[in-house]
Amino acid sequence: MNEIIQKNNSFIDIYNRSYRLAAAVFMISNIMDQNEELRAKIKNLSLRLVSVSVSLKDINFLDSKKSIGDLEKISLELMSMLDIASVSGLISKMNGNILKEEFQSFVLEIGNFSNRFENDKEVSVKNIFTEHSAVNIEDNVKKINTTI
């Protein structure tokens, strides 16, 4: 049960972080010219980032690996696009650097989520055998005590 709660808390952290990043990207990109192609690309990637993070809720292990990879890839693409926007003067260097740092931190958080998810999967399987063994030992001890 704790593993489920912990996974949900980790999912909420990932979702909240992706939502805040997307909101910040939207605020920054609104400064750009309406017709700027990079503006539309950045906004679309931000929306995709939130959508993929939502897909992590109640996902199985195999699908989570793909979604986590997608989150990392989208984040790296956004970092590149924001860096281009910063270098070309479409957004300020300060805003570009802040977002870059936040995205780098987010990518690390995604990696930690992936590691926890993998470890929880292994712990869950181990618990099945450990709990089952403990029950068998208790039953055997009771049987021995009743026969003595």
Side-chain angles (χ1 to χ4, degrees), residues 58-115:
D58 304 326
I59 198 168
N60 67 45
F61 179 73
L62 291 176
D63 292 337
S64 74
K65 282 209 169 264
K66 181 187 178 324
S67 293
I68 289 167
D70 288 347
L71 280 174
E72 290 172 332
K73 197 162 77 173
I74 294 166
S75 296
L76 293 173
E77 191 172 352
L78 269 165
M79 284 178 11
S80 298
M81 299 291 170
L82 290 166
D83 199 38
I84 291 168
S86 176
V87 168
S88 64
L90 295 172
I91 63 172
S92 72
K93 292 200 183 303
M94 180 190 72
N95 285 334
N97 287 336
I98 290 170
L99 285 171
K100 185 176 182 177
E101 287 175 17
E102 290 300 320
F103 272 105
Q104 287 171 337
S105 174
F106 181 61
V107 168
L108 289 174
E109 188 175 341
I110 293 167
N112 291 337
F113 174 79
S114 177
N115 291 339

Side-chain angles (χ1 to χ4, degrees), residues 2-18:
N2 286 338
E3 293 139 9
I4 293 169
I5 293 168
Q6 190 174 17
K7 181 192 178 287
N8 285 338
N9 285 339
S10 296
F11 155 74
I12 290 169
D13 292 343
I14 296 289
Y15 166 75
N16 284 335
R17 192 80 180 271
S18 69

